[in-house]
Amino acid sequence: MKPVTARAFVVAGHEEDRHRPVRELAQAVPAGAEFVQGSVTDHKLVNDLFADKKFDHVYHCAAYAAEGLSHFIKRFNYTNNVLGSINVLNAAVRAETVERFVFASSIAVYGPAQTPMSEDVVPEPEDPYGIAKYAVELDLAAAQRMFGLDYTIFRPHNVYGELQNSADPYRNVIGIFMNQIMSGRPMTVFGDGLQTRAFTHIDDVAPAIARSIDVPEAANEVFNVGADTPYTVLDLARAVARAFDATEPEIEFLPARKEVVHAFSDHAKLHRVFGDEPTVPLDEGLRRMAEWARETGVREPIRFESVEVLRNLPPSWAEGLTQTV
């Protein structure tokens, strides 16, 4: 990998991160990198950074990734995940210094596609979050044709690990489970818990994304990235309990919510281009995250206060909320 000057443009584009201490956000930034706290929706900030720093590569990972909640926060979702992304893309095109635009999309773009989901499936996203991600994917392809800006798109799924925002009660089920078990509450499961996901430790995702700029074959391509082995949510609950030395989890079943029941992807294309890398087994990844969670302590869930539609919102999410206009 060629040497580069380390710069980090770290953004907090959603309400929960505005409640997180700057020191906590900065923990994810390596030594020698510059930390800037802001939002991709602030086009002036984005434009000023590109003008000042002369970036030659862009890693755009900013989003509010709450698939289920996105039905009820459409304006917020599209403002953050589409318009914010376009602010970054516009700045990258205008800069004329950017060699590769790396975008973190999601397997939410596939919708209820047959599993394992592969990159040759035509996306049919079912929720506004997936729609937003797919819209940006399409725009990146259009920008490449119009302006010659090369891109690499990754579609990760169910990523977890240390430093995750475990105060978010709407997403990142592992963080939710850990927060609940540490506070002596039952783990809440929507429906029967037989939904399947392949839970992916961050160490299975970040390295491929980081080195993609030095992989010529990755230019203008889309890759699934993440763990291969699916588990039911009930299996996950048992595994989280084991990580906290509990024999059996205490589970509270909530009414089912509308979601894709089975979602995990095929990674043959990633392995073909990037090679085979060792992956973190679920029990090992949960053990690591549990150690971090114990050190961090229980975090009080931070409720999303800007819900735009209350109709059909799961009761456990709707309690105490008022609708915004």
Side-chain angles (χ1 to χ4, degrees):
M1 181 179 291
K2 64 183 179 182
V4 296
T5 302
R7 300 191 181 106
F9 173 20
V10 179
V11 297
H14 50 83
E15 292 186 352
E16 283 74 9
D17 272 348
R18 285 198 282 272
H19 293 280
R20 299 176 75 182
V22 171
R23 65 179 180 277
E24 184 177 323
L25 294 172
Q27 279 184 295
V29 182
E34 181 180 351
F35 173 72
V36 179
Q37 186 179 21
S39 172
V40 289
T41 62
D42 184 346
H43 65 88
K44 183 179 185 304
L45 171 64
V46 173
N47 292 338
D48 289 347
L49 281 166
F50 272 82
D52 181 47
K53 304 302 181 184
K54 310 299 182 187
F55 299 118
D56 50 11
H57 296 97
V58 173
Y59 291 88
H60 176 38
C61 303
Y64 184 58
E67 295 174 41
L69 189 63
S70 68
H71 290 284
F72 310 99
I73 54 168
K74 291 177 184 289
R75 183 176 63 242
F76 185 89
N77 168 71
Y78 292 124
T79 298
N80 276 267
N81 298 340
V82 177
L83 295 181
S85 297
I86 297 311
N87 286 339
V88 181
L89 179 53
N90 277 345
V93 170
R94 285 194 299 265
E96 298 186 6
T97 59
V98 177
E99 299 173 23
R100 185 84 65 86
F101 192 110
V102 181
F103 177 58
S105 183
S106 169
I107 68 164
V109 303
Y110 291 118
Q114 182 176 345
T115 54
M117 300 160 172
S118 63
E119 295 89 347
D120 57 1
V121 169
V122 177
E124 294 185 24
E126 279 203 336
D127 55 71
Y129 174 67
I131 293 168
K133 286 295 190 181
Y134 190 44
V136 178
E137 288 191 16
L138 293 174
D139 205 85
L140 281 168
Q144 202 284 326
R145 293 189 296 269
M146 176 60 70
F147 306 111
L149 176 63
D150 287 342
Y151 64 85
T152 300
I153 294 169
F154 289 94
R155 293 171 177 166
H157 52 92
N158 298 98
V159 180
Y160 71 96
E162 303 86 323
L163 301 181
Q164 194 165 54
N165 183 7
S166 57
D168 192 325
Y170 310 105
R171 57 178 183 157
N172 306 328
V173 63
I174 292 175
I176 293 172
F177 280 174
M178 289 189 175
N179 229 11
Q180 289 172 333
I181 200 169
M182 287 191 302
S183 59
R185 292 178 289 147
M187 290 184 266
T188 51
V189 171
F190 290 98
D192 58 14
L194 299 181
Q195 310 94 310
T196 53
R197 302 288 188 270
F199 301 100
T200 304
H201 191 272
I202 185 61
D203 285 357
D204 295 341
V205 174
I209 294 177
R211 69 186 182 93
S212 61
I213 60 173
D214 293 308
V215 180
E217 297 83 1
N220 307 318
E221 295 287 347
V222 178
F223 299 94
N224 294 331
V225 60
D228 291 310
T229 306
Y231 295 86
T232 69
V233 173
L234 287 180
D235 288 336
L236 174 69
R238 296 184 187 102
V240 171
R242 288 196 301 272
F244 285 88
D245 302 318
T247 54
E248 278 295 322
E250 183 184 356
I251 295 175
E252 178 185 356
F253 290 94
L254 302 177
R257 61 183 178 87
K258 185 172 177 56
E259 61 180 328
V260 175
V261 177
H262 304 292
F264 51 93
S265 59
D266 176 88
H267 305 107
K269 182 178 178 180
L270 181 84
H271 298 321
R272 186 168 64 250
V273 174
F274 287 83
D276 293 325
E277 296 286 347
T279 58
V280 179
L282 181 62
D283 283 342
E284 168 65 16
L286 293 178
R287 182 191 62 77
R288 293 189 204 173
M289 186 170 174
E291 289 178 358
W292 166 80
R294 286 189 181 98
E295 293 176 3
T296 305
V298 175
R299 299 194 60 182
E300 190 64 30
I302 299 173
R303 297 170 66 80
F304 198 100
E305 298 296 339
S306 302
V307 173
E308 299 155 18
V309 176
L310 292 179
R311 181 180 176 182
N312 294 339
L313 187 69
S316 61
W317 293 354
E319 185 179 350
L321 292 181
T322 57
Q323 185 169 295
T324 60
V325 178

